[in-house]
């Protein structure tokens, strides 16, 4: 048998990196397994096409079973934090109270979670976007909101010394300035300094839980490989973690596995103006809706844009009309509607052992989207847009659920100690444990939950002092 590690962490994103940081600081022997490649600020792809192919699963996107919704997730050391916009907000009482009610777990409240938010924020550089950061797309957004009497607020973003003339569109394919506070620039270097080993380009396919250790089997290239550890933390996100447990044939033991999937479905509306907007230049996302009426109505409006390949996919049709539309790329402004979806989807494996995502939208969720899109149309028309196009394509950027946390084993996969039910050597703290859709960007809360999980894991393993690994404890 190969070496038995103290811990194996599968996934290197917001959850896995925070947990690795805490476990290695305590002196544990930790191996991190990541399916994606390792890039650096100097080696990230410099164009949208290569970024999609090299930093994301399945060349850029997964699709729901009916192909109505596209899901985007990172496949790279640093996970989704490398390709997201690094918008870092805490959950409000509305989100946490709904989680406490649904899960039965008492630590879902602002007072208890505050110390975990504080702990992860102490390792990040956070910047509330200022008016000097706005591009013309943001200026139109604010003007449109103020014309209608809607409330807006600056976004809080993880960035450090981003500098003048930054281009956050490129940042979506990996930040070349080392400014964006991805795991690659924050928690992972500290964890590696404390002894973390990262094995990239390893595709985990199965976990086998035993009373004394867990085996993780997969492929390094074409070579079948198995690693062993006393404890395993699954941190591959809603799709990756759920798929791994399904492949490990735990459905019969975990009746809630694959259920409760949410994605904050989003629709982008693009408006064409006579003036040049250049929404693709500068900090393209700086302000957000903060209107309580929107929160109550179950949606938010986001100041956002996308690269030409993505915009081209969003525009329906083909031929001369599509060419005419794309020729006006510099004249485009965009606002996105993100829905706090109420009705969950499911994830299963088909007879070819491939993940199948069923995420139909209920009438209530469609109505939320329709109400939000109508507001955006009205805002753009009021601003003098000559043409407004709401893309029919639904996009899921915030992938959540499938392994819900809770107190009832019939309705949840993970208990309040972040252990998989009846599998004491398996832990999960990533977005797959979300009980429902919070309606707020999830990245910071994934980090906070993972910080709490790390404290629970260390306590369960009896590690309560610096430089005391499991092996040292066993021989003392």
């Amino acid at each position: 048998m190969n070496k038995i590690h103290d811990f194996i962490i599968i996934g290197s994103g917001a959850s896995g990196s925070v947990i690795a940081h805490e476990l290695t600081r305590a002196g544990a022997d930790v191996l991190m397994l990541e399916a994606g490649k390792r890039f650096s600020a100097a080696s990230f792809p410099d164009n949208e096409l290569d970024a999609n192919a090299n930093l994301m699963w399945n060349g850029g996107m997964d699709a729901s079973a009916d192909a109505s919704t596209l899901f985007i997730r990172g496949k790279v050391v640093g996970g989704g934090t490398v390709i997201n916009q690094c918008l870092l907000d805490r959950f409000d009482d509305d989100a946490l109270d709904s989680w406490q009610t649904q899960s039965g777990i008492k630590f879902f409240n602002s007072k208890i979670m505050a110390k975990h938010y504080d702990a992860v924020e102490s390792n990040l550089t956070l910047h509330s976007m200022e008016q000097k950061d706005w591009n013309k797309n943001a200026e139109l957004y604010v003007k449109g909101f103020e014309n209608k009497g809607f409330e807006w607020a600056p976004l809080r973003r993880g960035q450090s010394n981003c500098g003048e003339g930054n281009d956050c569109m490129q940042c979506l394919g990996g930040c070349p300035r080392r400014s964006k506070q991805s795991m690659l620039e924050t928690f992972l270097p500290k964890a590696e300094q404390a002894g973390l080993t990262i094995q990239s380009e390893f595709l985990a396919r199965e976990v086998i839980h035993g009373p004394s250790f867990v085996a993780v089997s997969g492929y390094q290239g074409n070579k079948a490989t198995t690693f062993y550890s006393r404890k395993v933390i699954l941190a591959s996100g809603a799709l990756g973690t759920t798929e791994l447990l399904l492949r490990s044939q735990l459905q019969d033991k975990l009746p809630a596995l694959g259920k409760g999937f949410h994605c904050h479905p989003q629709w982008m509306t693009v408006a064409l103006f006579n003036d040049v907007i250049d929404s693709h230049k500068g900090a393209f996302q700086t302000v957000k809706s903060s209107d309580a009426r929107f929160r109550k109505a179950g949606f938010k409006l986001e100041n956002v844009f996308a690269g030409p390949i993505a915009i081209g996919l969003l525009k329906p049709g083909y031929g001369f009309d599509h060419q005419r539309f794309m020729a006006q790329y510099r004249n485009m402004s965009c606002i996105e509607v993100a829905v706090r979806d109420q009705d969950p989807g499911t994830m299963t494996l088909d007879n070819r052992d491939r993940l199948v995502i069923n995420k139909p939208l209920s009438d209530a969720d469609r109505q939320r989207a329709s109400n939000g899109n109508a507001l955006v149309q009205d805002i753009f028309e009021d601003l003098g847009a000559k043409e407004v196009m709401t893309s029919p394509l639904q996009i899921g950027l915030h992938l959540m659920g499938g392994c819900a946390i809770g107190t009832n084993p019939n309705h949840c996969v993970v208990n309040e100690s972040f252990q998989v039910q009846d599998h004491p050597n398996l832990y999960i703290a990533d977005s797959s444990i979300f009980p429902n859709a919070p309606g707020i960007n999830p990245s910071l809360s994934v980090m906070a939950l993972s910080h709490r999980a790390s404290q629970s894991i260390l306590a369960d393993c009896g590690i309560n002092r610096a430089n005391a690994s499991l092996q040292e404890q066993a021989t003392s």
Side-chain angles (χ1 to χ4, degrees):
M1 185 183 292
N2 293 335
K3 175 182 178 180
I4 300 180
H5 299 274
D6 291 343
F7 298 98
I8 288 177
I9 300 173
I10 304 175
S12 62
S15 177
S17 295
V18 170
I19 294 175
H21 174 254
E22 295 301 313
L23 298 184
T24 53
R25 280 206 318 164
D29 165 33
V30 184
L31 171 66
M32 176 176 280
L33 303 175
E34 167 58 52
K37 299 178 181 179
R38 182 159 195 162
F39 289 84
S40 67
S43 64
F44 282 127
D46 62 1
N47 65 84
E48 186 182 5
L49 185 63
D50 288 340
N52 290 349
N54 288 286
L55 306 180
M56 304 178 197
W57 281 89
N58 299 315
M61 60 189 69
D62 300 273
S64 60
D66 62 2
S68 65
T69 307
L70 301 180
F71 308 108
I72 298 173
R73 54 178 175 144
K75 184 184 180 184
V76 61
V77 173
T81 68
V82 170
I83 63 168
N84 70 11
Q85 176 60 353
C86 211
L87 304 179
L88 301 176
D89 287 325
R90 298 187 179 196
F91 284 178
D92 60 13
D93 289 335
D94 186 332
L96 291 171
D97 288 348
S98 73
W99 280 18
Q100 185 176 128
T101 299
Q102 185 162 330
S103 68
I105 291 179
K106 301 301 181 184
F107 64 69
F108 286 136
N109 70 67
S110 298
K111 184 176 181 180
I112 293 176
M113 289 302 299
K115 64 182 180 182
H116 302 295
Y117 282 118
D118 288 343
V120 296
E121 287 176 0
S122 69
N123 290 278
L124 302 167
T125 301
L126 302 172
H127 172 68
S128 291
M129 307 302 280
E130 304 171 25
Q131 189 167 351
K132 66 181 179 64
D133 299 314
W134 296 359
N135 63 7
K136 195 167 182 180
N137 193 37
E139 291 174 5
L140 284 171
Y141 181 98
V142 171
K143 183 179 179 181
F145 264 54
E146 292 182 346
N147 287 347
K148 297 293 184 183
F150 299 148
E151 295 180 13
W152 62 273
L155 286 167
R156 189 173 73 153
R157 185 170 188 261
Q159 66 179 54
S160 172
N161 299 318
C162 203
E164 296 294 328
N166 62 67
D167 185 357
C168 294
M169 291 293 292
Q170 184 178 354
C171 185
L172 296 179
C175 177
R177 295 180 179 84
R178 303 188 65 184
S179 168
K180 182 167 69 173
Q181 300 291 278
S182 70
M183 297 300 97
L184 197 62
E185 300 296 343
T186 53
F187 286 92
L188 280 180
K190 295 177 183 178
E192 286 188 290
Q193 207 168 35
L196 172 68
T197 300
I198 301 176
Q199 182 70 62
S200 60
E201 300 182 69
F202 176 84
L203 182 61
R205 303 299 282 176
E206 184 180 15
V207 291
I208 302 172
H209 183 275
S212 301
F213 62 86
V214 181
V216 179
S217 298
Y219 293 91
Q220 186 80 48
N222 294 321
K223 182 182 177 182
T225 305
T226 300
F227 295 100
Y228 303 88
S229 72
R230 290 176 174 81
K231 307 285 183 180
V232 167
I233 298 104
L234 306 182
S236 301
L239 272 58
T241 292
T242 303
E243 181 178 12
L244 186 54
L245 289 180
L246 288 169
R247 288 187 184 280
S248 303
Q249 301 182 37
L250 297 181
Q251 310 81 307
D252 293 339
K253 297 179 181 179
L254 302 169
L257 179 61
K259 299 177 181 178
F261 174 65
H262 295 267
C263 65
H264 288 160
Q266 300 172 35
W267 288 259
M268 292 178 71
T269 295
V270 177
L272 299 179
F273 288 85
N274 288 322
D275 295 334
V276 171
I277 309 298
D278 278 346
S279 299
H280 62 293
K281 294 184 178 180
F284 77 102
Q285 203 170 4
T286 52
V287 289
K288 64 179 180 180
S289 63
S290 60
D291 202 297
R293 292 170 291 182
F294 296 173
R295 182 74 167 143
K296 187 176 180 180
F299 63 82
K300 62 179 178 177
L301 306 185
E302 297 193 330
N303 156 233
V304 72
F305 200 60
I309 292 176
I311 295 291
L313 289 172
L314 293 172
K315 168 65 176 171
Y318 54 89
F320 287 120
D321 181 61
H322 195 280
Q323 185 180 30
R324 172 198 63 82
F325 183 84
M326 290 304 299
Q328 301 174 82
Y329 184 76
R330 295 189 64 196
N331 298 77
M332 294 178 182
S333 181
C334 181
I335 297 176
E336 184 176 66
V337 172
V339 169
R340 186 182 185 184
D341 45 328
Q342 290 182 305
D343 292 311
T346 61
M347 289 176 276
T348 57
L349 295 180
D350 65 13
N351 56 11
R352 294 185 179 180
D353 212 29
R354 296 179 302 190
L355 188 68
V356 178
I357 308 165
N358 284 291
K359 186 60 175 77
L361 287 180
S362 66
D363 290 343
D365 287 337
R366 289 190 181 280
Q367 188 60 54
R368 291 181 172 200
S370 179
N371 293 341
N373 286 327
L375 278 179
V376 174
Q377 174 103 12
D378 192 37
I379 288 171
F380 277 137
E381 289 177 352
D382 189 58
L383 289 169
K386 63 180 183 179
E387 183 179 339
V388 180
M389 183 277 295
T390 297
S391 176
L393 197 62
Q394 300 157 205
I395 305 171
L397 297 178
H398 304 157
L399 311 182
M400 306 164 288
C403 302
I405 191 171
T407 56
N408 185 336
N410 292 320
H411 299 121
C412 63
V413 172
V414 174
N415 65 27
E416 60 185 328
S417 296
F418 300 91
Q419 289 171 314
V420 174
Q421 301 284 357
D422 298 321
H423 294 74
N425 297 326
L426 279 181
Y427 296 83
I428 309 174
D430 61 22
S431 63
S432 69
I433 72 170
F434 283 22
N436 58 44
I440 298 173
N441 290 52
S443 188
L444 184 67
S445 294
V446 170
M447 295 182 212
L449 286 169
S450 297
H451 180 268
R452 183 176 180 89
S454 68
Q455 309 312 302
S456 180
I457 292 168
L458 288 171
D460 288 344
C461 296
I463 303 177
N464 53 20
R465 61 183 178 87
N467 300 318
S469 72
L470 286 176
Q471 293 168 345
E472 288 173 336
Q473 294 261 327
T475 57
S476 63

